[in-house]
Amino acid sequence: MIRTAICDDDAKTRAYLASLILAQPCPCEIVEYASADDCLADRREIDLLFLDIELGISGSRLDGMALARQLRQRDSEIQPLIIFVTGYDQYVYDAFDVGAFQYLLKPVNEEKFARAFARAAARVLADRKHPRKVRTLTLRSAHTRKTIPLSSIRYIESCNHKVVLHLNDGVFAYYAKIRDLEAELQGQFFRIHKGYLVNLSCIDGYSKSEVTLTNGERLLLSKYKYPDFVRAYLRFLEKGAAND
């Protein structure tokens, strides 16, 4: 049973997507949300979320992209696969920032939907056999404890005895040493410069002098770090491909 959710402010669209889901060979449990707020208020675990980006008439302060970012920041063992279903193609690069699994344009083609659903269902079932724990970074101080999913951190910057976490939706600074985080986060992050520790999953491209992130930001790449960075990045890509 695939636990499936649909979040769209249009009732006809929700009904149509539900009919497409029910037509697939895999049994599904379906829940519908008319707004981002309704989705966030329901704490049930979801395997697969079909999410509209433009939630303008729902009355919520959040659109679909903001909802996806909040879901990614939850301290949860299970993160839903997100398939954006939208009439606008300009958000496709933003979708990758929140780890979207697929991006479907309205009106939804039934064959494309079936292919996307089959891939998503296979990933969900594979993850159940071999669960992939959501990696997090836990920040502790005298009076507070905060847990942040690594997938929501684009890069970490060293600044005046603090580290600044550059997140998908803002920044967070606290007292720590970047070299300690470098050791803790090895494998998914790499120290490309004395001042930057970058999330390898957020890299869009690189040259010998800089790294370009998926949101367009550019960070300096030390010439002394370049050879090790390339090897680490290729290992990361190969590992990701093996897990797909």
Side-chain angles (χ1 to χ4, degrees):
M1 180 73 70
I2 305 294
R3 296 165 297 194
T4 308
I6 303 166
C7 185
D8 195 298
D9 54 8
D10 181 69
K12 291 182 178 179
T13 299
R14 295 198 303 272
Y16 177 63
L17 292 176
S19 70
L20 293 180
I21 293 169
L22 292 173
Q24 306 311 309
C26 182
C28 293
E29 172 188 329
I30 304 174
V31 60
E32 298 180 17
Y33 305 111
S35 71
D37 292 337
D38 290 345
C39 183
L40 287 173
D42 189 347
R43 303 293 295 191
R44 79 182 75 190
E45 292 183 339
I46 298 171
D47 297 313
L48 177 58
L49 173 62
F50 291 91
L51 177 58
D52 185 22
I53 293 179
E54 296 285 339
L55 296 172
I57 65 173
S58 68
S60 172
R61 59 187 174 82
L62 301 174
D63 63 11
M65 200 64 68
L67 169 61
R69 292 191 183 100
Q70 291 211 18
L71 291 174
R72 290 296 183 240
Q73 291 172 16
R74 280 183 172 176
D75 183 12
S76 173
E77 290 291 327
I78 296 178
Q79 282 279 342
L81 295 183
I82 296 176
I83 295 180
F84 282 112
V85 184
T86 178
Y88 304 89
D89 60 3
Q90 68 263 35
Y91 298 109
V92 63
Y93 294 109
D94 293 330
F96 291 117
D97 280 347
V98 294
F101 183 78
Q102 186 76 41
Y103 192 98
L104 296 175
L105 286 175
K106 297 177 180 177
V108 177
N109 177 279
E110 293 186 20
E111 291 184 3
K112 289 183 178 180
F113 182 93
R115 289 196 296 269
F117 186 91
R119 290 180 57 239
R123 171 67 67 83
V124 169
L125 296 176
D127 285 350
R128 286 181 184 172
K129 291 181 179 178
H130 306 285
R132 293 186 289 181
K133 182 178 175 62
V134 176
R135 293 188 64 189
T136 60
L137 176 63
T138 301
L139 316 179
R140 297 180 179 87
S141 64
H143 304 291
T144 62
R145 181 177 181 273
K146 184 178 180 67
T147 301
I148 300 176
L150 297 190
S151 60
S152 69
I153 306 172
R154 294 198 302 270
Y155 66 97
I156 301 171
E157 181 181 8
S158 177
C159 182
N160 297 327
H161 306 293
K162 288 185 177 182
V163 293
V164 181
L165 308 184
H166 292 261
L167 309 172
N168 290 330
D169 62 347
V171 297
F172 183 85
Y174 72 108
Y175 287 100
K177 296 179 179 178
I178 197 169
R179 66 170 178 265
D180 294 335
L181 292 176
E182 179 183 8
E184 181 179 351
L185 303 178
Q186 61 181 329
Q188 184 167 343
F189 283 72
F190 188 85
R191 185 93 171 266
I192 62 170
H193 184 274
K194 65 180 181 179
Y196 299 120
L197 187 61
V198 67
N199 189 338
L200 295 173
S201 68
C202 293
I203 292 176
D204 185 55
Y206 62 89
S207 67
K208 288 191 174 182
S209 61
E210 66 181 15
V211 168
T212 303
L213 304 184
T214 52
N215 69 339
E217 286 186 86
R218 295 182 177 183
L219 304 176
L220 288 175
L221 171 58
S222 167
K223 65 180 180 180
Y224 303 108
K225 296 282 189 178
Y226 178 79
D228 289 336
F229 160 73
V230 172
R231 285 191 288 269
Y233 186 49
L234 291 178
R235 282 197 302 270
F236 177 80
L237 294 178
E238 289 170 358
K239 183 178 178 182
N243 289 333
D244 285 339

